[in-house]
């Protein structure tokens, strides 16, 4: 399973990259706004800065919601760097645009996915990645992770190439469950990635090893 970081924060992207496990980045308009990145040229420059940090795929989301607008904006984003993936919402014109991008060899990430039916449509259109939003489904008291399992089963049966990118990850447990459910990629906030490191028995064990070593070597 590939690890992407879900942020537009350059320091966090660098920190995840320094860990040596980062395969890519996903962003969205809310994450860009959170970093205070506004105005078209600042947004474009910020994407370029992200693409200079990571070699892997960087999802950059279109704002347009009509076919012509999505194509025009997607092409501009794609021209920014060789690792840009155009992120397109799961709407009628979005699917049409994903099919067009597929035909023109432009990689896509179909976002805002909440059902298996949407997942089938995006795969038919040739999306490179599919982003089901786990946490947001959990927020409505449904089981987000069961959607990942269902899509993984369908894609395996049908032989679809689209990679399942588990998004809206809220904690480290989500990452483990996404791996079990068959996600190809997981995109997470930095604390969820770092949370994977933590176990109290690791801390207790390390303290013991270091103290035993110190005692033995002070004699
Ligand atoms: O990139 C989209 C997604 O990960 C959003 O997460 O936490 O806003 O539901 P969240």
């Amino acid at each position: 399973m590939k690890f992407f970081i879900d942020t537009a924060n350059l320091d966090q992207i660098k920190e995840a990259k320094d860990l040596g496990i980062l395969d890519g980045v996903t962003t969205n308009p809310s994450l860009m706004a959170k970093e205070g990145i506004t105005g078209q040229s600042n947004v474009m420059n910020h994407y370029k800065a992200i693409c200079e940090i990571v070699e892997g795929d960087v999802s950059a989301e279109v704002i347009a919601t009509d076919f012509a607008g999505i194509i025009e904006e997607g092409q501009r984003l794609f021209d920014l760097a060789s690792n840009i993936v155009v992120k397109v919402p799961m709407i009628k014109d979005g699917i049409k645009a994903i099919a067009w991008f597929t035909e023109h060899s432009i990689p896509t990430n179909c976002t805002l996915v909440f059902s298996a039916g949407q997942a089938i449509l995006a795969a038919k259109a040739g999306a490179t990645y599919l982003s089901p939003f786990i946490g947001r489904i959990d927020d409505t008291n449904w089981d987000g992770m069961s959607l990942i399992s269902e899509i993984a089963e369908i894609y395996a049966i049908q032989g679809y190439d689209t990679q399942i990118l588990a998004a809206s990850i809220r904690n480290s447990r989500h990452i483990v469950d996404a791996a079990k459910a068959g996600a190809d990629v997981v995109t997470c906030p930095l604390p969820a990635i770092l949370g994977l490191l933590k176990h109290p028995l690791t801390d207790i064990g390390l303290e013991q090893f270091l103290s035993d070593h110190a005692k033995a070597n002070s004699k």
Side-chain angles (χ1 to χ4, degrees), residues 90 113 115-124 130 132 147 151 155 160 162:
M90 165 47 78
V113 171
S115 77
Q118 292 177 326
I120 291 171
L121 210 50
K124 281 294 289 176
L130 177 90
L147 178 60
I151 297 169
Y155 280 13
Y160 290 137
T162 300

Side-chain angles (χ1 to χ4, degrees), residues 83-213:
N83 50 343
I84 285 279
V85 171
V86 181
K87 203 171 178 187
V88 180
M90 165 47 78
I91 53 175
K92 195 174 175 189
D93 280 27
I95 285 298
K96 211 172 136 185
I98 288 170
W100 188 92
F101 287 131
T102 303
E103 225 173 88
H104 291 80
S105 304
I106 294 177
T108 52
N109 176 354
C110 182
T111 190
L112 289 166
V113 171
F114 295 92
S115 77
Q118 292 177 326
I120 291 171
L121 210 50
K124 281 294 289 176
T128 315
Y129 296 105
L130 177 90
S131 291
F133 277 30
I134 302 314
R136 292 193 195 186
I137 296 175
D138 288 354
D139 289 345
T140 64
N141 287 327
W142 289 75
D143 177 15
M145 213 49 75
S146 66
L147 178 60
I148 299 288
S149 311
E150 191 181 9
I151 297 169
E153 192 183 342
I154 293 168
Y155 280 13
I157 292 169
Q158 297 297 330
Y160 290 137
D161 292 333
T162 300
Q163 297 176 56
I164 304 167
L165 192 167
S168 188
I169 292 289
R170 302 280 172 75
N171 53 56
S172 307
R173 185 68 224 177
H174 268 160
I175 300 176
V176 175
D177 290 342
K180 274 166 65 182
D184 300 292
V185 189
V186 71
T187 189
C188 343
L190 185 60
I193 298 175
L194 297 178
L196 292 172
L197 290 164
K198 289 185 196 144
H199 197 289
L201 292 178
T202 304
D203 300 338
I204 293 166
L206 182 60
E207 208 180 306
Q208 183 75 56
F209 287 156
L210 295 179
S211 116
D212 288 347
H213 173 82

